[in-house]
């Protein structure tokens, strides 16, 4: 007990009075600080509105001023508050992330994502016996083929690290992709033809490793190996991305199926790059990048002529400058439940003839490849519509610069498109279909009676119907009917039909 005048005051009541006084002091300090803050806050708002301060400078000054206002209140409260144990430094904490699989370790977010992709496939025997060099629509001439294989996506495990440093978001990503079938090691590694032989091993594709630094004011810079810009949105909006599409070489599958690669677009590929993307301006972004150059490649193979064995296409291995790609993209919500995505992208690269290259051009001669595309996607409630098209010269077909230049050194023109529609009911069941075709225009030297024999591919087309069911947030089942057709320069064709059913486990 403590005496105050003639009144005895218990010690607990005395401590409570002290705490009330401390809280009152903190409130007064905070109130007076807020009053002083009015003028400064208004000044900062006016400087930002007049463009004198950038968004980043404005945010930093506001945060600093808020800290200065709060400091007196914290000091006043702390001087009258009972002693507290020392706080654990923030870099010692590990907490779970709000979304996905991962944790925050101090100031760094560590996240894992990936998928398991396997499909049961049945490809019916090929109709037609024509020779089509570079064609994708064929199969076995005499039998059906069955396989359990990856879809257009292989199974994958991706790691990402991200943090905030000095006002910038800094991140690192590493993607490990694995097919389920044995591979036959070749020029294309995991994408070479498969080998259905015991004691084989599947292919591992470390296709993705890059870092990125970004801010809302200045945009982002990506450094490393990632998906290219040209035709990237074509494959990312293709519903067979989580399915299979055309199942070429189904008797001995490689790492993945084709989806619509070569049947409406050219594969964007994973390319070492330096790519800058602008800040989002009302839904519009612009990306430009320099890319490690790829060579002109003879994918169609060779044929026998009166003058001997000749390749359909050239191999040009030299390049004295990088490739360049760019993309303009818009994403916006036009109305509740109505989202529109539009894009256009392009690429250019110069190829130089080296000694030993299989081409009727002088050493040091240059050949420039160019291409442009455009596409759009409309999400209108349960309905999804996608349209896409491309044109190029020296671009080739299926893969970048595959059969893009003839043996005489003349560039071939190429083009293609696909259209797709889907409808979702009960927020789980989606069904739809698509049609797409890729064309490779011949040079004069490709026709019979000149250098060629007419068997070079002229078009690859496919029609696909699909049904998808989202069983859980992680598990999706998809079934497809796929009809693939190829024609050569003489108009001769082959076709195959296939049934696909399988699942994607994604997390």
């Amino acid at each position: 007990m403590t005496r105050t005048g003639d009144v005895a005051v218990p010690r607990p009541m005395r401590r409570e009075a002290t705490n009330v006084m401390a809280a009152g002091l903190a409130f007064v300090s905070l109130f007076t600080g807020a009053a002083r803050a009015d003028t400064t806050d208004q000044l900062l708002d006016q400087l930002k509105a007049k463009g004198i301060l950038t968004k980043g400078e404005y945010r930093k000054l506001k945060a600093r001023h808020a800290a200065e206002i709060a400091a007196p209140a914290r000091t006043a409260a702390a001087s009258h508050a009972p002693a507290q144990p020392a706080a654990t430094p923030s870099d010692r904490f590990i907490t779970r992330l709000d979304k996905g699989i991962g944790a925050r370790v101090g100031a760094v977010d560590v996240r894992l994502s990936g998928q398991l992709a396997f499909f049961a496939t049945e490809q019916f025997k090929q109709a037609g016996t024509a020779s089509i060099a570079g064609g994708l629509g064929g199969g076995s001439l005499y039998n059906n083929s069955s396989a359990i294989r990856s879809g257009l996506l292989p199974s994958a495990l991706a790691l990402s690290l991200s943090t905030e440093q000095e006002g910038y978001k800094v991140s690192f990503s590493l993607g490990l992709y694995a097919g389920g079938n044995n591979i036959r090691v070749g020029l294309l590694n995991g994408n070479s033809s498969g080998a259905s032989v015991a004691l084989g091993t599947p292919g591992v594709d470390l296709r993705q490793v890059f870092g990125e630094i970004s801010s809302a004011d200045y945009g982002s810079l990506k450094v490393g190996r990632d998906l290219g810009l040209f035709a990237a949105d074509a494959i990312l909006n293709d519903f067979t991305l989580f399915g299979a599409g055309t199942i070429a070489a189904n008797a001995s599958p490689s790492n993945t199926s084709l989806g619509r690669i070569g049947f409406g677009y050219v594969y964007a590929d994973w390319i070492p790059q330096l790519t800058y993307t602008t800040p989002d301006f009302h839904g519009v972004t612009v990306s430009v990048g320099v890319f490690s150059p790829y060579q002109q490649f003879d994918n169609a193979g060779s044929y026998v002529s009166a003058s001997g064995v000749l390749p359909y296409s050239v191999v040009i291995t030299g390049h004295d400058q990088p490739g360049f790609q760019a993309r303009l993209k818009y994403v916006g919500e036009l109305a509740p439940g109505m989202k529109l995505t539009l894009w256009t992208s392009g690429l250019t690269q110069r190829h130089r003839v080296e000694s030993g290259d299989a081409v009727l051009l002088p050493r040091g001669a240059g050949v420039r490849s160019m291409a442009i595309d455009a596409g759009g996607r409309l999400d209108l409630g349960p309905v999804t519509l996608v349209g896409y098209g491309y044109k190029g010269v020296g671009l080739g077909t299926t893969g970048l610069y595959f059969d893009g230049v003839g043996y005489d050194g003349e560039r071939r023109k190429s083009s293609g498109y696909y259209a797709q529609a889907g409808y979702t009911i009960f927020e789980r069941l989606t069904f739809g279909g698509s049609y797409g075709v890729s064309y490779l225009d011949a040079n004069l030297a490709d026709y019979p009676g000149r250098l060629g024999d007419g068997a070079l591919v002229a078009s690859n087309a496919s029609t696909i119907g699909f049904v998808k069911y989202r069983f859980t947030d992680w598990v999706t089942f998809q079934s497809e009917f796929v009809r693939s057709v190829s024609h050569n320069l003489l108009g001769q064709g082959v076709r195959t039909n296939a049934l696909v059913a399988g699942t994607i486990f994604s997390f």
Side-chain angles (χ1 to χ4, degrees), residues 200-467:
T201 58
V204 177
D205 180 0
L206 192 63
R207 64 175 65 171
Q208 196 176 35
V209 52
F210 66 91
E212 197 166 16
I213 181 169
S214 62
S215 76
D217 294 331
Y218 303 112
S220 65
L221 177 66
K222 180 187 296 181
V223 181
R225 182 185 177 101
D226 197 21
L227 195 65
L229 296 174
F230 176 77
D233 291 279
I235 190 170
L236 294 177
N237 286 284
D238 178 5
F239 68 73
T240 66
L241 182 64
F242 296 100
T246 295
I247 49 174
N250 193 57
S252 295
S254 60
N255 260 8
T256 71
S257 62
L258 285 174
R260 283 209 159 278
I261 298 171
F263 294 89
Y265 54 81
V266 173
Y267 186 38
D269 221 308
W270 306 82
I271 314 174
Q273 60 187 271
L274 297 172
T275 296
Y276 168 73
T277 300
T278 65
D280 186 304
F281 182 73
H282 299 293
V284 177
T285 57
V286 178
S287 301
V288 293
V290 292
F291 291 75
S292 184
Y294 284 171
Q295 69 180 50
Q296 284 286 341
F297 181 66
D298 177 23
N299 185 55
S302 304
Y303 65 96
V304 178
S305 71
S307 56
V309 178
L310 294 175
Y312 282 103
S313 306
V314 301
V315 175
I316 304 179
T317 59
H319 25 71
D320 58 355
Q321 58 183 238
F324 300 93
Q325 297 188 23
R327 177 180 63 190
L328 172 66
K329 187 172 182 179
Y330 167 77
V331 181
E333 187 172 359
L334 303 183
M338 181 186 295
K339 180 182 177 182
L340 178 64
T341 304
L342 299 171
W343 71 87
T344 181
S345 62
L347 65 74
T348 182
Q349 184 189 312
R350 184 166 65 185
H351 311 268
R352 289 287 193 183
V353 179
E354 290 284 353
S355 176
D357 286 349
V359 57
L360 298 178
L361 287 175
R363 305 305 176 237
V367 177
R368 180 167 291 280
S369 300
M370 297 179 290
I372 190 171
D373 71 358
R377 171 172 174 158
L378 178 64
D379 293 288
L380 184 59
V383 177
T384 299
L385 303 173
V386 178
Y388 172 81
Y390 73 93
K391 291 183 70 70
V393 58
L395 173 70
T397 190
T398 305
L400 291 174
Y401 318 121
F402 277 22
D403 302 315
V405 179
Y407 181 64
D408 59 349
E410 184 182 351
R411 297 175 299 177
R412 295 188 179 108
K413 295 179 180 178
S414 55
S415 60
Y417 67 88
Y418 79 88
Q420 173 182 293
Y423 185 81
T424 300
I425 57 177
F426 310 126
E427 298 183 350
R428 288 182 178 269
L429 179 64
T430 303
F431 59 91
S434 67
Y435 174 81
V437 59
S438 287
Y439 298 103
L440 185 65
D441 294 348
N443 299 329
L444 290 176
D446 293 326
Y447 285 100
R450 298 181 180 271
L451 292 178
D453 65 354
L456 180 67
V457 64
S459 66
N460 290 309
S462 69
T463 304
I464 303 175
F466 79 100
V467 177

Side-chain angles (χ1 to χ4, degrees), residues 6 65 130 143 160 163 182 191 213-214 222 272 286 314 337 360 375 381 400 408 410 458 460 470 488 495 498 506:
D6 295 329
H65 191 55
N143 301 291
S160 68
T163 187
N182 298 341
N191 291 323
I213 181 169
S214 62
K222 180 187 296 181
V286 178
V314 301
L360 298 178
L400 291 174
D408 59 349
E410 184 182 351
N460 290 309
R470 183 173 60 84
N488 61 21
R495 69 177 183 275
S506 58

Side-chain angles (χ1 to χ4, degrees), residues 67-242:
E68 291 173 347
I69 295 171
R74 288 196 302 268
T75 302
S79 64
H80 295 83
Q84 298 292 330
T88 303
S90 61
D91 60 355
R92 301 293 181 89
F93 283 113
I94 298 179
T95 58
R96 69 176 181 85
L97 299 181
D98 292 334
K99 292 184 178 180
I101 299 176
R104 172 171 281 263
V105 182
V108 179
D109 289 344
V110 181
R111 189 184 306 272
L112 289 176
S113 62
Q115 70 271 339
L116 173 73
F118 275 93
F119 293 85
T121 60
E122 181 76 13
Q123 186 179 55
F124 302 101
K125 64 182 181 180
Q126 173 182 304
T129 59
S131 174
I132 304 178
L136 304 172
S140 172
L141 280 172
Y142 308 106
N143 301 291
N144 297 350
S145 65
S146 298
I148 307 296
R149 59 180 296 173
S150 295
L152 177 53
L153 281 178
S155 299
L157 182 64
L159 167 69
S160 68
L161 309 176
S162 63
T163 187
E164 294 274 348
Q165 295 181 351
E166 299 183 20
Y168 294 95
K169 180 179 179 181
V170 182
S171 64
F172 166 80
S173 298
L174 177 70
L176 179 68
Y177 296 79
N181 298 90
N182 298 341
I183 64 164
R184 189 189 307 273
V185 178
L187 179 65
L188 305 181
N189 298 316
N191 291 323
S192 298
S193 60
S196 297
V197 180
L199 300 183
T201 58
V204 177
D205 180 0
L206 192 63
R207 64 175 65 171
Q208 196 176 35
V209 52
F210 66 91
E212 197 166 16
I213 181 169
S214 62
S215 76
D217 294 331
Y218 303 112
S220 65
L221 177 66
K222 180 187 296 181
V223 181
R225 182 185 177 101
D226 197 21
L227 195 65
L229 296 174
F230 176 77
D233 291 279
I235 190 170
L236 294 177
N237 286 284
D238 178 5
F239 68 73
T240 66
L241 182 64
F242 296 100

